[in-house]
Amino acid sequence: MTATMTAVVYTALDAFEVRQVPVPAPGLGELLIRVEAAGLCHTDLDILAGRYAAELPRIPGHEFAGTVVDADPALRSRIGERVAIDPLIACEACRNCLRGHPNLCTRGQAYGAERDGGFAEYAVVRSDNAFSAGTLDPGVAALAEPFACAVNALDRANPSPEAKVVIVGAGPMGMILSIAARGRGIEDLTIADRVPERLERASRFGATETVRIAHGLTDSLPERAFDLVIDATGRPEVVQEAVRLLADAGTLIPFGVCPPGSELVLDTFEVYRRQLCIVGSFSLNRGILAALDILRQSVYPLDELITTRFPLEQGGDALAAVGGSDTVKIQFDPMTRIATQ
């Protein structure tokens, strides 16, 4: 009899079920992972709503970590290894891949979108996509994917340690960007938000200054003052105003995911005269190892980033909790069901 497992399955747009499905078997070059932590993010909601391309039905989940429990016979030595997963699968042959941008692969796939992901008790992944997490707590190891997204953004901007940096938005990615920036040696880091509780938390996760925004950004933050401005809100009106915070030769990263069709109005003479840069950053770009290094070396209380853990059976509650003002990262703990059987 085929073994089964519990999984959250997106059956169609705006429809999902928590149900029993067969445990997948690893093929050539693949590993079977017992998932021990799987993070939720807005992309998972966007897939369900049809705002992000994916193939349905699908087991979602692209932020996950666990232990290798089975493998292609040539990879048996990896059984027992604790790993964090890079969800992106690039063709390595298209022009974008050859130029060093596998995250922009024209034929790319991802676990949780085109292949089944981590919202399940077990998942099959390519061995090349599984990176040793060592002794990191599984919940912290599952943060490697969003941290790798922050690494990509910072690599794109390449700020010097002396740069004056501001992150607008103290939500989950704002906190992760803060920790990653401090991990790169940034010493002058302001975080701005409207919610006092978020700012109090930001002060524990790397912010050297916090600013409460009561009205517009420039009512509370000085114009032309920051070498690097990162928007972590995904709100077009915030990104528009953030341009005014840029110092000469400054860089703006619209990191938060603005809706398709959003527009940014720029004075092109100002861009020319002041050498301003607008830098895009999509997903992660082979940054899991760098992210794991940040997580291992961080002096911040990383476990506090995980504010709520749900068993898979409470898939609906977990999805509904994403984006709550009192949450940072939400994760599934598939081991809860296994431990209580």
Side-chain angles (χ1 to χ4, degrees), residues 22 73 129 132 143 154 160 167 189 239 275 305 310 318:
N129 287 71
S132 177
L143 296 172
L154 293 168
S160 70
I167 297 170
L189 177 63
V239 178
Q275 292 191 175
L305 291 175
F310 288 91

Side-chain angles (χ1 to χ4, degrees), residues 260-281:
S262 303
E263 295 183 350
L264 180 62
V265 180
L266 295 170
D267 182 334
T268 51
F269 179 82
E270 283 287 288
V271 174
Y272 150 75
R273 177 63 181 82
R274 298 178 54 218
Q275 292 191 175
L276 304 181
C277 293
I278 312 296
V279 175
S281 176

Side-chain angles (χ1 to χ4, degrees), residues 75-87:
L75 298 168
R76 294 279 182 181
S77 62
R78 298 200 68 177
I79 292 177
E81 184 180 346
R82 301 181 62 250
V83 295
I85 306 304
D86 182 337

Side-chain angles (χ1 to χ4, degrees), residues 70-157:
D70 196 5
D72 169 0
L75 298 168
R76 294 279 182 181
S77 62
R78 298 200 68 177
I79 292 177
E81 184 180 346
R82 301 181 62 250
V83 295
I85 306 304
D86 182 337
L88 299 188
I89 304 168
C91 74
E92 307 295 343
C94 71
R95 184 168 183 269
N96 286 346
C97 284
L98 295 176
R99 290 190 303 142
H101 304 295
N103 55 325
L104 304 178
C105 177
T106 57
R107 296 187 289 272
Q109 296 184 330
Y111 293 109
E114 291 80 19
R115 299 194 188 189
D116 285 339
F119 291 177
E121 293 180 70
Y122 297 91
V124 162
V125 302
R126 299 192 318 165
S127 178
D128 289 348
N129 287 71
F131 294 82
S132 177
T135 59
L136 282 175
D137 175 84
V140 172
L143 296 172
E145 193 277 344
F147 266 85
C149 294
V151 166
N152 186 35
L154 293 168
D155 283 347
R156 297 275 292 155

Side-chain angles (χ1 to χ4, degrees), residues 38-277:
L40 292 85
C41 85
H42 274 282
T43 299
D44 299 307
L45 301 183
D46 290 340
I47 289 172
L48 187 59
R51 295 186 295 266
Y52 189 97
E55 298 174 2
L56 305 181
R58 180 67 55 217
I59 297 173
H62 57 277
E63 305 176 8
F64 60 104
T67 299
V68 180
V69 294
D70 196 5
D72 169 0
L75 298 168
R76 294 279 182 181
S77 62
R78 298 200 68 177
I79 292 177
E81 184 180 346
R82 301 181 62 250
V83 295
I85 306 304
D86 182 337
L88 299 188
I89 304 168
C91 74
E92 307 295 343
C94 71
R95 184 168 183 269
N96 286 346
C97 284
L98 295 176
R99 290 190 303 142
H101 304 295
N103 55 325
L104 304 178
C105 177
T106 57
R107 296 187 289 272
Q109 296 184 330
Y111 293 109
E114 291 80 19
R115 299 194 188 189
D116 285 339
F119 291 177
E121 293 180 70
Y122 297 91
V124 162
V125 302
R126 299 192 318 165
S127 178
D128 289 348
N129 287 71
F131 294 82
S132 177
T135 59
L136 282 175
D137 175 84
V140 172
L143 296 172
E145 193 277 344
F147 266 85
C149 294
V151 166
N152 186 35
L154 293 168
D155 283 347
R156 297 275 292 155
N158 195 28
S160 70
E162 297 78 22
K164 287 178 63 65
V165 179
V166 62
I167 297 170
V168 183
M173 287 312 304
M175 295 300 91
I176 287 170
L177 285 159
S178 173
I179 296 167
R182 295 286 277 164
R184 288 177 70 106
I186 298 296
E187 297 180 357
D188 189 336
L189 177 63
T190 298
I191 295 183
D193 201 288
R194 295 183 181 278
V195 182
E197 292 78 11
R198 286 186 169 187
L199 293 174
E200 189 280 327
R201 185 167 57 210
S203 67
R204 304 198 309 275
F205 287 98
T208 56
E209 183 178 355
T210 61
V211 175
R212 185 180 181 187
I213 305 299
H215 301 290
L217 285 184
T218 53
D219 295 326
S220 304
L221 292 165
E223 295 189 31
R224 298 193 177 196
F226 298 97
D227 305 304
L228 176 60
V229 178
I230 306 176
D231 171 69
T233 71
R235 296 175 59 186
E237 67 276 16
V238 175
V239 178
Q240 182 66 65
E241 194 172 9
V243 175
R244 296 166 58 187
L245 304 180
L246 289 172
D248 292 347
T251 298
L252 169 67
I253 302 179
F255 185 90
V257 183
C258 290
S262 303
E263 295 183 350
L264 180 62
V265 180
L266 295 170
D267 182 334
T268 51
F269 179 82
E270 283 287 288
V271 174
Y272 150 75
R273 177 63 181 82
R274 298 178 54 218
Q275 292 191 175
L276 304 181
C277 293

